[in-house]
Amino acid sequence: MSEHKSIEEIEKEIVEEFSLFDGWDDKYEYIIDLGKKLPLLETEHKKDENKVKGCQSTVWLAAEFKDGKVFYKADSDAVIVKGLISMLIRVLSGQEPDDIVNTKLDFIREIGMMSHLAQTRSNGLLAMVKQMKNYALAYKLKEGASK
Amino acid sequence: MTGILEIEKGLDIQAIRKHFPVLEREVKGRPLVYFDNAATAQKPQVVIDALINYYSDYNANIHRGIHTLAEEATAAFEGTRDAIKEFINAESREQIIFTSGTTEGINLVAQTWGRQNIKAGDEIIISNMEHHSNIVPWYLLAQEKGAVIKVIPINDAGELEMDAFEKLLSEKTKFVSIVHVSNALGTINPVKEIIAKAHEAGAKVLVDGAQSTVHLDIDVQDLNTDFFVFSSHKLYGPTGIGALYGRKELLEEIPPYQGGGEMIKDVSFTNITWNDLPYKFEAGTPNIADAIAFKTAMDFTKAIGREKIRQHENELLAYATEQLMQIPGLRIIGTAKKKISVLSFVIDNVHPQDIGILLDNKGIAVRTGHHCAQPLMERLCIRGTTRASFAMYNTKEEVDAMMEALRKAIKLLS
Ligand SMILES: Cc1ncc(COP(=O)(O)O)c(C=O)c1O
């Protein structure tokens, strides 16, 4: 297996990347760029049950469980949210359910995105994280039951 | 700076701005540009002082005490009632009931007049541009009573279809609850005409004045409305206080809303008599401090001159509209012939939330989303708008700052 990075390692990478930015203009430019680059979500996944509630923008989130790891795909109609999702996917996708459920995702605060996380009603990043953890929890329980 | 002062015809905006401490702060390293006035207006120092003075000089519960502080607090509290009576030209002070705001006022009417008078099959008319606060209370009432809600449609400019309204009216119509000015579009509705037509059909009317009271002169007698509700916080006053005006006979007929405190005359375990108006509807210790400071807010806007403020805001609206229309792919939502200084817009292929975040990053506060008017957004086939709403302290330079930030944001996003 190629090198597997832990959630904490990837978070550290992101925090370091963000520390290079001069100010918020650059951070947003970067996040918007990530948003634009996020692979399109296939229309089959853009169904109602994949919609994350609590967002001013619409977010679709799909998950898949393979070889004991959770893989996420997502999309949104708002590009900054998409950029934030892209970072969450980078950190959480390909990780084990236990690690996903337990992580505090400190990087969001460390890169200064805390205010967005706090604005749960308008941005829904928190709802997004919760939904990602819910998937992981569900897979974990399913896995436990089948053992 | 001198240029704009001339345009403002005697209204010295820089002097007015000095009254609002929050306007001195910076957001994201830039001077705050506050364009979210339709959500809540900023407060002048005199209003903030009125709150502090009450708590530091004469904090006491009202009506009950015989001591000096209680008398002072009662006088100030009741003084606001008199000020509201004058502000909206009510017949008498007894018809002014303190509420926590517009939302509570509507709920009060739905839960008292509505529960007493609405039966199964009765119809309640609202419009397609209502704020959720003027939908949900009627929905709850209709559910409870088996009544039917009818909706006045709007045209693409965001104006009520008055012909359709007349067709909705029938002997089944018991109540019409209508917004005076739309928070999402800025449309000024012809409420006087609506009230007259509703009365002809035998229905009672409530006017939601949440957005109108700060911009228009309100005369409830001239409107001939049965109920009128509004909030202090959109009028440069504190949050958590507002008023309900009601026609006297109606207020006397309808049962109390909540029980306890000042609203009773005599209580025994078998018989309770209600207090006289307006106290019948004011249960418990009211929001004394905010009520007192609310008068200061009304005095402040009157001192500056409501007509002058209106003229200034209209000039800003015209200027900003003209500027915005120069942006390719931008569409203004709400182009009614008669509107107040609310400017809602959408931009092709750009999500309002992204705009809101990037404007905030430049210290500019706007509102994005559905503005608590989801049925309206559905009607207009949009997911939401970006909304800039202007107040007395806003300037052309601030509009220019928004335009610059907007152009940059669009470039970054597309
Ligand atoms: C048209 C309209 N109605 C009702 C309300 C609710 O007012 P409040 O939140 O002060 O009760 C608002 C506030 O946004 C409004 O704009």
Side-chain angles (χ1 to χ4, degrees):
Chain A
M1 234 178 83
S2 67
E3 32 116 31
H4 172 79
K5 289 184 195 150
S6 71
I7 291 179
E8 286 70 26
E9 281 167 339
I10 306 172
E11 284 189 279
K12 222 174 121 211
E13 275 178 16
I14 296 179
V15 171
E16 272 163 23
E17 281 166 29
F18 267 76
S19 70
L20 299 176
F21 295 129
D22 267 347
W24 276 98
D25 281 358
D26 292 346
K27 286 188 198 176
Y28 276 120
E29 203 172 327
Y30 178 73
I31 293 167
I32 289 167
D33 213 42
L34 287 179
K36 288 179 183 169
K37 283 191 198 137
L38 189 69
L40 291 177
L41 191 67
E42 300 85 349
T43 29
E44 60 183 278
H45 292 303
K46 286 196 172 180
K47 48 192 177 191
D48 267 357
E49 60 258 45
N50 281 343
K51 273 192 192 172
V52 180
K53 305 264 188 310
C55 299
Q56 198 184 85
S57 45
T58 309
V59 173
W60 295 269
L61 177 68
E64 195 183 8
F65 195 46
K66 235 179 11 202
D67 306 328
K69 296 190 170 97
V70 189
F71 295 86
Y72 298 99
K73 281 185 195 173
D75 198 358
S76 169
D77 53 353
V79 73
I80 293 176
V81 171
K82 233 165 120 167
L84 296 173
I85 293 170
S86 160
M87 289 198 285
L88 287 175
I89 290 181
R90 178 171 158 198
V91 174
L92 296 180
S93 206
Q95 304 290 347
E96 289 177 13
D98 254 337
D99 295 337
I100 296 170
V101 170
N102 293 324
T103 179
K104 291 205 197 70
L105 292 172
D106 286 327
F107 84 99
I108 299 172
R109 188 174 38 80
E110 282 170 38
I111 63 172
M113 297 309 290
M114 195 55 204
S115 63
H116 295 279
L117 194 103
Q119 288 171 20
T120 52
R121 274 188 59 177
S122 63
N123 187 301
L125 188 58
L126 196 66
M128 177 77 197
V129 171
K130 203 168 141 196
Q131 190 65 17
M132 291 175 105
K133 289 195 171 205
N134 279 347
Y135 272 123
L137 194 62
Y139 290 132
K140 182 182 151 175
L141 294 174
K142 223 153 100 193
E143 197 185 29
S146 64
K147 261 183 193 159
Chain B
M1 283 288 149
T2 44
I4 181 163
L5 292 186
E6 279 157 31
I7 298 167
E8 279 148 13
K9 295 189 188 85
L11 200 60
D12 183 349
I13 301 303
Q14 292 312 319
I16 287 174
R17 289 179 68 84
K18 292 207 172 71
H19 287 282
F20 293 84
V22 79
L23 299 178
E24 274 156 39
R25 77 163 276 187
E26 292 195 341
V27 169
K28 308 274 158 77
R30 289 175 184 241
L32 165 70
V33 172
Y34 187 78
F35 282 165
D36 196 15
N37 296 288
T40 197
Q42 296 301 341
K43 320 305 173 201
Q45 189 64 49
V46 284
V47 168
I48 300 165
D49 287 345
L51 291 169
I52 296 171
N53 289 345
Y54 165 73
Y55 284 121
S56 49
D57 292 348
Y58 58 104
N59 170 53
N61 210 329
I62 53 169
H63 295 139
R64 310 176 230 283
I66 48 149
H67 55 80
T68 305
L69 264 54
E71 275 172 15
E72 287 174 9
T74 305
F77 180 84
E78 291 301 330
T80 298
R81 202 187 305 273
D82 293 323
I84 295 171
K85 169 195 172 287
E86 272 186 35
F87 204 74
I88 62 170
N89 192 34
E91 299 91 327
S92 67
R93 66 189 317 279
E94 288 77 37
Q95 290 164 268
I96 307 299
I97 292 147
F98 282 111
T99 63
S100 66
T102 305
T103 305
E104 195 192 32
I106 298 170
N107 277 284
L108 192 159
V109 174
Q111 290 299 313
T112 55
W113 190 92
R115 287 180 100 169
Q116 189 180 53
N117 293 285
I118 298 283
K119 302 179 304 296
D122 284 350
E123 293 178 358
I124 299 162
I125 297 180
I126 59 174
S127 87
N128 205 168
M129 64 170 89
E130 298 307 321
H131 187 280
H132 295 164
S133 292
N134 198 24
I135 301 174
V136 185
W138 304 113
Y139 173 88
L140 290 171
L141 180 70
Q143 289 261 302
E144 182 186 322
K145 298 288 186 178
V148 181
I149 291 177
K150 297 268 169 168
V151 180
I152 310 171
I154 58 169
N155 64 22
D156 291 337
E159 293 162 325
L160 293 177
E161 304 260 20
M162 289 298 285
D163 293 349
F165 167 60
E166 284 183 48
K167 288 201 190 98
L168 287 180
L169 285 170
S170 74
E171 68 279 7
K172 282 192 192 152
T173 312
K174 288 287 143 55
F175 204 82
V176 178
S177 197
I178 188 81
V179 70
H180 196 175
V181 164
S182 157
N183 63 313
L185 308 170
T187 310
I188 302 173
N189 287 323
V191 286
K192 193 171 170 180
E193 193 186 332
I194 290 170
I195 292 162
K197 300 233 156 87
H199 282 166
E200 269 172 44
K204 301 283 183 267
V205 185
L206 177 144
V207 173
D208 170 354
Q211 295 293 339
S212 62
T213 316
V214 63
H215 297 291
L216 309 176
D217 291 325
I218 306 296
D219 183 335
V220 288
Q221 294 186 66
D222 178 58
L223 288 177
N224 197 23
T225 186
D226 300 296
F227 299 102
F228 188 90
V229 289
F230 64 107
S231 306
S232 142
H233 70 98
K234 297 188 197 268
L235 253 165
Y236 308 102
T239 54
I241 191 80
L244 159 69
Y245 158 87
R247 201 184 286 282
K248 201 163 181 182
E249 317 88 79
L250 294 177
L251 292 178
E252 267 161 2
E253 273 165 34
I254 59 183
Y257 179 47
Q258 292 175 332
E262 200 59 40
M263 51 78 66
I264 44 88
K265 200 169 256 167
D266 288 299
V267 177
S268 73
F269 288 115
T270 50
N271 191 36
I272 297 177
T273 51
W274 312 128
N275 204 340
D276 299 326
L277 287 176
Y279 307 110
K280 175 170 129 184
F281 294 102
E282 294 178 0
T285 298
N287 187 350
I288 304 168
D290 293 301
I292 291 172
F294 182 15
K295 175 174 188 295
T296 313
M298 288 183 282
D299 290 346
F300 180 80
T301 56
K302 275 202 280 190
I304 290 183
R306 289 179 45 87
E307 185 54 46
K308 278 191 203 159
I309 295 170
R310 191 150 48 225
Q311 202 179 335
H312 170 65
E313 289 170 348
N314 285 341
E315 278 162 18
L316 278 181
L317 177 70
Y319 178 70
T321 305
E322 189 192 303
Q323 293 292 308
L324 280 178
M325 286 190 342
Q326 290 169 18
I327 293 184
L330 184 144
R331 186 157 57 95
I332 290 172
I333 303 295
T335 48
K337 282 178 224 66
K338 290 186 175 172
K339 63 182 280 190
I340 48 97
S341 55
V342 160
L343 204 40
S344 254
F345 57 88
V346 292
I347 302 165
D348 287 347
N349 304 317
V350 178
H351 197 284
Q353 187 181 7
D354 290 325
I355 295 284
I357 292 173
L358 292 180
L359 290 186
D360 175 63
N361 191 39
K362 300 289 177 207
I364 299 162
V366 293
R367 181 68 158 254
T368 62
H370 54 59
H371 314 294
C372 298
Q374 283 183 2
L376 173 64
M377 298 297 133
E378 216 162 282
R379 156 67 181 81
L380 298 169
C381 299
I382 50 176
R383 49 196 165 186
T385 74
T386 302
R387 180 186 74 185
S389 49
F390 308 124
M392 64 163 94
Y393 39 69
N394 292 126
T395 66
K396 257 174 90 176
E397 283 80 358
E398 289 181 313
V399 173
D400 293 340
M402 176 178 77
M403 292 307 299
E404 194 193 322
L406 198 54
R407 286 207 163 88
K408 282 192 183 145
I410 294 168
K411 209 168 140 205
L412 206 56
L413 291 166
S414 43

